[in-house]
Each structure stands twice: as structure tokens, then as C-alpha cells.
Amino acid sequence: MKLIALAAATLLAAPALADEIWVTNEKDDTISVIDIDTLEVVRTIPTGERPRGITFSKDHSVVYICASDSDAVQVMDPETGEILHDLPSGEDPEQFVLHPDNRRLYIANEDDAITTVVDTETRKVIAQIDVGIEPEGMAVSPDGTIAITTSETTNMAHWIDTESEQLFANTLVDSRPRHAEFVKEGSELWVSSEIGGTITVFDVATQAEKGKIRFEIQGVHPDRVQPVGFELTDDEKTAFVALGPSNHLAVINADTFEVEDYILVGRRVWHMEFNADKSLLFTTNGVSGDVTVVDVAKRKAIKTIKVGRFPWGAALRPTN
Amino acid sequence: MFRLFQMLFLALALPQVVSAAIEVPVVYLKQDVPRPPVLSNLDPIPDDLGSAGADLGLADNMTTGKFLGHTYTLETIVVPEGGDWIASAKQALALSPYVILDAPSDLLLGVADLPEAKDALLFNATSPDVALRNESCRANLLHTLPSNRMRTDALVQFFVKRRWTTLALISGAHPQDQAFAESLKQSVTKFGLELKAEKEWVFNADMRRNAAQEVPLFTQDLGEYDALLLADELDDFGRYIAYNTWIARPVAGSDGLRPVAWSDVVEQWGAVQMQNRFHELTGRDMRSEDYAAWAAFRSLGEAVTRTQSDDPATLRDYILSDAFELAGFKGRPMNYRGWNGQLRQPIPLVTGRAVVATAPLEGFLHQVSELDTLGIDQPESKCTAFDED
């Protein structure tokens, strides 16, 4: 059985292949692999329980998966879909970020109010850092000096010095922060707040708040406009923000922090990932169980792809 | 100035503290109340119902507070049956202006009206009494448990949505049952549905067979209806009604489909994390009263975090302001009705196994907040104590 799966995987992997988007399905314990050329699901790979965060190593030779209810970060061979080993992740890993050194993985342990730092080579825990309640959003600065954990119930961004692996600042944001990203060459930190309905922009050098992005969709009650994941275009002039149960993406001018557009996608949109040239954006829609493909230039949804139940994370796998 | 401080602390390698140390004591004050006997002892009431929620609120606030130099303490005072409630209330108020109350409504008012409580901030975490939010409201008494009217409006919205337009009602004889039944009737009227038949559950020694066997006959003369409402807030007979009605109909209210502040079946919107934390702390499932006590303590914590103050007037102003928002794991930001001190909140409609729907249901609109389609609204409110704000 395994042999057949392996053979099939090899067959699929053999020709000059299209890039892929890997989507974790939180309530199916699987990954759906989307072929970017055909925009179809070409593989479904079993994972541990409740897969959420997903990220590839820098050379894309392995993929890391937060299997939250298995209390493990799984390391998978993306060619075969085989789990190579687990990393010690601490309890209930939800989301993580890989340090630019391609070794250290910073993992949010949602149930334990801890950020765990794991060396992916030695497979050992380097540090565990006390953070606020329900840590989730994870980011690391492009130069690798700062890691961020946001905590959903404490409503803070926790700033970690990656040399000492200790907190050096804690900054309040609006209710239920979910996602964090360093932007503009690491000079700004953006943190989305799901219940607060905002993105807070920090000046990284001073950790001071420098701006707030707000949203307003005609015909949608403000309570339902709940920013979660977001991504920026290569020139970092435009940001796309998933607005949860409002079922829309917002298109933001990243310099003025103003909303330029809203794009209707699937239900309870969580996270997103670009293709390699960032012409297409793939959003995970938790409630409708599908992925919306957005044409970035036209700012329009062009296709909906059915995946598993409660798709959560998404990651690009370039194959060329 | 703020930045300078922060850098100074950084230089001293004392990262966490960016504000002055604040200590916030909170008291959980409970009156033990005798409970009438019920037909089944399958579901005992936990001794720490309510207070366990305050324990979790304390833990949550402490975790946040440690990054800000804020500490919280919790003292739980339980007044035994026949104990001196007012003396205990004075004792609580001497310890702290922040008291979470777990007592019947007349006792709550007794505390709120004490001269010692004039500048205090009290939270009602366990009484669903509508009058406390209406004609009997007090400016120093906020409510984190939804009122009966919020719950029954939530349920009736669901009937409207399903077009279950005709209803029947069986109510128990206890005052709590009667209050809930009255609230159900008002909600049925508010949303334009029809209550076609009504009976009181008055079985006594004459009952020759067990409850389940009596129910088909008992419900025979209710006639035709779409759903059967139960007002059995003490959990006496309600569990024996489902599947035993004369005609095949769903039951709702105190049993069957129940409108609640919280239940162990709530899992969306990050609720699982809170359920896990509560379970780890107490070894049992979280209930509505636990949730309300948690929300009270968390409201205080949120206000302290945002205002960096421990002054009751400052915290009260902030809690009642538009800036306040509590993430309560129910999918929307929650805040307080500034005109009667009630925490706005979604109401899950649950069975023993799942959330069937969450009110406000889609399509019930409101000019201020959709959450205000649940419960007595400002235009009809008889509460005036908050007017000077």
C-alpha cells in the first residue's frame, strides 16, 4: 500500500512540474496540494491531528507542519508525503516561523502560553519563553535579530531577542491578535487584531505604534470584519488582508494604510499565500472548506477550489 | 517620555515592566441558597459554579499583568445559608471596590445600595432577573450574565428563522420558572409569533406513574404547535419531555434547544482554548455562571490594562465607553450597554451535543448593535440610574 503511494507520488513528481500551494485542513488531518497551473487539487496527504501552521525549509527539501492535537511539529518529505520525524514542539503548536538561519523554528504553543524555540537539525528545544495567553501570530525580522509572538487573550506582541532568546519588549495591540509580519525590510511590524478589527503598525526600532489600519465594508456589520492573515506584494506597496467572517479580502495601500479595495472570497477567510511571481493569491476559507484564487493585478477572485474541511494554513512549494 | 522609560528599562535589562506597579484586589461574594429537590440527580450543581470562572479570570489577568507590572488577587467569600449577607458584603467592600456577586437579585440590590458600595464596581454574574437591568438597575452594578430576556429573544429569533410560528409552553411552579416563562411570552410577542397553549407542571402525590409515562397524556391537550417551550430553570422535569410529547415536536427553552451564555459544546472562535484552560483548572466543563464570572474579572483586567489605572471611577468609565471591547470567544467583540450596565453578548443555542445556532441570527438588524436585538432595548428601558453618565 505504502509502496503504491510512493510509486504514485514519484510518478506525479517526475515531469517538469508546476509549482504547488500546500493547504492544511484543520478538521480533516490532511494537506491538499494545489497545482498552480491547473488550479486543481492533485494530492491529498495525511498528517497528524489538527494541522494548522505550515512552512517549507528554505531549500524546500522538507515541510514543517504544526499538528496541534498531536502536540508535534511534523517534518515531511514533500516528494513522498512521508513523515520523516517529529520535532519536540511543546503542547498544542498552532503557528510557527522559520528563522532566516534555516535552523531555528519559533513555535507558538497555544494552550501553554509559551513560545518554544527548536533547533531543526539537532531536534532539540533551545528555549521556552513565557508569553501571553494563547500565543498564535509568529514572525521573525529579515535580519533574524527579532522574533515576535502575539498572544490572543493577552492582546500583546511579545518581542524576542533571538540572541538571548528572551523578551525585550511587550506592546499592547487591539483584541485578539492573530498574525504578525515584518514589512518594509524589517522596519515595520504589522499585527492584525481579529476582534479589535484593526492592524497595528509598529516602528521596529522603537517598538512604538506608528499607525492603525481600519476596515469598513458596506453592508457588513463592523463586528464581522475580523482581520486575520495578511501578505504583501513584492514591492511592499500593497497588502492583502483576510477579514474572516466578513468573507472579504481588503487591499491596502501599505504606505498610506488606506483600504483601496475589497474582494469577495469564501467564508471565514483565514490565511493566504502567493504563487512564485505573486500574480496569484490563494486564500484559505475555513467555513466553506475551499481556497479562493485571486488575480492580484485585477484584484478579482477567479476560481474556487474545494479542499478539505476547515483549511487553515497555506504555503508555496516552487518546483523549478 | 514613555519611550524614554522603555529604553531605560531595556538598558537595565528589565524588559517587562513599562508602567507603574498596580495591584487590583477582587472579591467573589457568594450567598449559599437552598435548592428545592428535583426529579433526577444526574447532573449535580458544582460547588464552585461561578467562582471557578473567577479563578480562571484571575489566571488570565495575571498572565497579561505580568508583562505590565499589574497584579490581581481574588478573595472568595461564601455566606452560608442563614449567614449575615450584609455584614459579609461590608467585609468584601472593605477589601476591595471590585466585587463579583453570586446571589439572588434582592440580595444584590442590598449590596449595591450600601453606602460602602457607592463608589464600588459590582458585577452580577449569576442572576438573570430582568428587573435588575430595568426598573431596579443600579449605576454601580454591571451584569455579565445575560438576562432572561436576552436568552428568550435569542431562542425566539431562531423560531422566526425556522418559521416555527406557533408554540406551546409548559412551565414549572418555582419563581425562576415563572420568570423565565414570562420572559418567553414577552419574546414570543416581540417577534410576532403565537403562543397557542400553556400548561403548568404541577405533578404531586397524585402522579401514579413516572414522569416520562405521564408526558404523552399531559401534552395531548396542547393541540397543534411547531415547538414546545419549557420553563424549568431548576432542571426538574424538563429532561423527561423530549420524545414523550403527544405529537412529534422539538422542545426548547430550559431543556432541548437551550439559549445559554456558555456551554461545553461551544468550540468556535477560539473557544476550545478557553474550555481547555478551564478544564485544566477545575477538572469540569465550563457553564454559563462560570463564564459570566470570568467575563466580569476579564472586563476589569481589560480596563486596567488599557487605562493603566486601578481607580474604580476610571475603570467604570472605560468599561462603559465605546473604546472597551472584550474578546469573549463568541465571535464578536463584546461591550456594555452604557444605559443599563449589561454586557452585550451573542447567545449560543445549544443541545447537549452541539451549538445549533448563535443569536443574533442573520437578518435581525439594529441601528446600534445587532446584539441589541437581544433583551430589553434602550427605547423601552426603564433603567435611569445610568442617565447622568
Side-chain angles (χ1 to χ4, degrees):
Chain A
M1 183 61 203
K2 198 174 193 182
L3 226 140
I4 295 169
L6 264 168
T10 323
L11 273 179
L12 280 169
L17 285 174
D19 293 351
E20 295 167 343
I21 296 287
W22 286 45
V23 174
T24 51
N25 299 308
E26 185 181 346
K27 298 216 168 162
D28 261 354
D29 300 349
T30 57
I31 288 169
S32 298
V33 179
I34 296 169
D35 178 311
I36 293 184
D37 283 351
T38 62
L39 299 183
E40 276 170 10
V41 174
V42 290
R43 266 206 285 175
T44 302
I45 305 168
T47 65
E49 289 174 40
R50 201 174 179 207
R52 292 192 278 179
I54 178 167
T55 194
F56 283 88
S57 61
K58 304 294 175 193
D59 62 0
H60 296 88
S61 62
V62 295
V63 57
Y64 301 104
I65 302 146
C66 285
S68 301
D69 286 358
S70 300
D71 294 333
V73 166
Q74 299 186 310
V75 184
M76 180 186 281
D77 178 344
E79 289 293 335
T80 62
E82 204 178 327
I83 303 291
L84 302 172
H85 56 265
D86 287 354
L87 291 172
S89 66
E91 260 185 65
D92 193 26
E94 174 166 13
Q95 177 66 295
F96 50 21
V97 64
L98 187 60
H99 191 275
D101 67 11
N102 198 29
R103 277 190 70 165
R104 277 178 288 172
L105 204 51
Y106 286 77
I107 306 166
N109 298 120
E110 189 169 31
D111 272 2
D112 272 3
I114 283 173
T115 296
T116 299
V117 190
V118 173
D119 184 329
T120 55
E121 274 177 33
T122 63
R123 301 179 199 173
K124 292 225 160 72
V125 172
I126 300 171
Q128 289 206 309
I129 304 153
D130 277 338
V131 293
I133 300 164
E134 295 167 37
E136 166 154 350
M138 298 296 304
V140 63
S141 61
D143 67 2
T145 57
I146 303 171
I148 298 288
T149 300
T150 65
S151 47
E152 285 174 40
T153 292
T154 297
N155 303 324
M156 279 182 185
H158 305 281
W159 303 64
I160 300 165
D161 175 346
T162 56
E163 202 168 313
S164 64
E165 308 293 9
Q166 300 209 336
L167 298 178
F168 69 92
N170 302 281
T171 48
L172 279 171
V173 295
D174 292 322
S175 285
R176 242 180 129 66
R178 295 298 295 260
H179 189 74
E181 292 272 352
F182 283 90
V183 310
K184 299 190 185 150
E185 287 153 357
S187 66
E188 285 178 5
L189 174 74
W190 289 25
V191 178
S192 65
S193 293
E194 183 179 32
I195 290 291
T198 60
I199 288 180
T200 305
V201 179
F202 289 98
D203 174 47
V204 169
T206 61
Q207 300 101 47
E209 186 177 319
K210 72 182 268 191
K212 195 82 101 173
I213 302 172
R214 294 171 203 281
F215 309 90
E216 198 173 313
I217 307 176
Q218 193 153 22
V220 178
H221 194 278
D223 285 2
R224 304 198 74 77
V225 179
Q226 303 183 354
V228 189
F230 56 88
E231 292 291 335
L232 277 83
T233 52
D234 264 343
D235 59 9
E236 301 210 311
K237 295 219 173 298
T238 309
F240 291 84
V241 184
L243 297 177
S246 73
N247 311 331
H248 281 78
L249 293 185
V251 186
I252 309 285
N253 180 322
D255 294 323
T256 64
F257 304 149
E258 268 160 25
V259 182
E260 295 180 341
D261 240 323
Y262 291 102
I263 304 169
L264 183 64
V265 292
R267 294 179 61 204
R268 200 165 184 203
V269 52
W270 278 128
H271 287 287
M272 63 189 80
E273 176 73 316
F274 284 109
N275 65 344
D277 66 7
K278 298 207 174 183
S279 61
L280 296 175
L281 185 62
F282 297 78
T283 70
T284 56
N285 311 319
V287 171
S288 48
D290 49 31
V291 165
T292 303
V293 187
V294 173
D295 182 320
V296 171
K298 291 187 181 141
R299 299 183 177 179
K300 273 210 160 74
I302 55 171
K303 190 172 180 189
T304 302
I305 304 166
K306 181 84 191 128
V307 291
R309 293 190 293 176
F310 287 79
W312 197 94
L316 169 70
R317 180 188 177 218
T319 45
N320 298 310
Chain B
M1 186 63 195
F2 177 73
R3 187 181 301 170
L4 213 134
F5 257 111
Q6 205 172 22
M7 286 173 63
L8 196 70
F9 276 115
L10 277 173
L12 294 170
L14 292 170
Q16 273 79 329
V17 186
V18 294
S19 57
I22 289 177
E23 209 183 303
V24 184
V26 176
V27 181
Y28 188 93
L29 178 63
K30 174 182 182 167
Q31 172 66 57
D32 263 342
V33 180
R35 287 182 52 82
V38 293
L39 288 171
S40 165
N41 293 318
L42 281 174
D43 298 302
I45 308 275
D47 287 338
D48 60 355
L49 182 67
S51 65
D55 291 337
L56 182 65
L58 171 71
D60 283 5
N61 283 349
M62 285 294 278
T63 308
T64 301
K66 77 179 175 194
F67 299 107
L68 297 166
H70 302 166
T71 52
Y72 301 82
T73 57
L74 174 63
E75 177 100 8
T76 301
I77 301 175
V78 180
V79 184
E81 284 173 38
D84 190 339
W85 169 254
I86 288 299
S88 301
K90 286 180 177 170
Q91 182 199 341
L93 288 163
L95 292 169
S96 169
Y98 308 114
V99 184
I100 302 170
L101 296 165
D102 176 350
S105 56
D106 52 328
L107 299 190
L108 298 187
L109 292 179
V111 180
D113 291 340
L114 285 173
E116 289 88 339
K118 191 173 160 288
D119 299 317
L121 192 52
L122 312 172
F123 290 88
N124 161 28
T126 60
S127 173
D129 185 359
V130 178
L132 284 177
R133 286 90 168 158
N134 205 15
E135 65 272 16
S136 305
C137 76
R138 299 290 192 272
N140 56 356
L141 181 61
L142 307 183
H143 312 273
T144 50
L145 192 75
S147 68
N148 276 334
R149 268 302 291 278
M150 291 166 71
R151 291 172 59 214
T152 57
D153 280 355
L155 185 60
V156 174
Q157 281 189 359
F158 179 79
F159 297 148
V160 172
K161 196 89 185 166
R162 280 291 144 89
R163 301 190 185 169
W164 297 352
T165 53
T166 59
L167 305 159
L169 168 67
I170 302 175
S171 32
H174 299 105
Q176 294 96 320
D177 302 338
Q178 294 293 313
F180 189 64
E182 180 55 33
S183 184
L184 278 166
K185 288 185 215 170
Q186 285 169 356
S187 297
V188 166
T189 306
K190 171 177 171 179
F191 290 103
L193 303 188
E194 190 189 353
L195 184 64
K196 289 186 76 170
E198 198 183 328
K199 284 186 93 166
E200 196 165 324
W201 181 268
V202 282
F203 285 98
N204 48 35
D206 287 343
M207 188 169 71
R208 297 289 201 280
R209 292 162 290 189
N210 70 42
Q213 284 172 307
E214 293 290 342
V215 171
L217 288 174
F218 182 75
T219 55
Q220 190 174 8
D221 58 358
L222 289 172
E224 265 298 329
Y225 55 88
D226 293 323
L228 178 58
L229 301 174
L230 302 176
D232 173 37
E233 288 294 273
L234 296 183
D235 200 15
D236 184 16
F237 62 90
R239 69 174 75 225
Y240 299 107
I241 306 295
Y243 304 103
N244 281 321
T245 50
W246 183 255
I247 55 173
R249 293 292 181 272
V251 300
S254 303
D255 209 284
L257 184 66
R258 293 177 299 123
V260 294
W262 193 256
S263 149
D264 59 310
V265 299
V266 177
E267 59 177 341
Q268 267 206 336
W269 313 109
V272 170
Q273 278 78 252
M274 182 151 85
Q275 306 276 24
N276 288 347
R277 284 208 301 284
F278 187 84
H279 221 279
E280 205 164 292
L281 190 71
T282 63
R284 64 174 176 85
D285 293 332
M286 192 174 197
R287 303 191 183 189
S288 291
E289 291 84 351
D290 302 313
Y291 179 83
W294 171 86
F297 209 148
R298 276 292 299 129
S299 294
L300 275 172
E302 189 62 21
V304 170
T305 300
R306 302 289 172 183
T307 61
Q308 308 277 334
S309 167
D310 60 354
D311 168 53
T314 307
L315 297 188
R316 180 180 180 278
D317 285 352
Y318 183 80
I319 285 173
L320 293 175
S321 76
D322 289 342
F324 179 86
E325 58 186 18
L326 184 67
F329 304 92
K330 295 205 272 190
R332 289 172 186 251
M334 309 195 312
N335 58 17
Y336 286 81
R337 291 177 181 147
W339 39 272
N340 77 346
Q342 169 69 50
L343 181 67
R344 293 186 173 99
Q345 57 192 296
I347 305 285
L349 302 170
V350 304
T351 66
R353 301 255 298 152
V355 175
V356 176
T358 301
L361 279 102
E362 213 182 320
F364 291 89
L365 303 176
H366 191 279
Q367 67 278 18
V368 176
S369 161
E370 286 165 22
L371 294 172
D372 283 354
T373 62
L374 305 174
I376 289 178
D377 198 8
Q378 188 167 16
E380 46 182 338
S381 169
K382 294 189 191 108
C383 172
T384 54
F386 288 74
D387 287 357
E388 61 267 32
D389 287 342

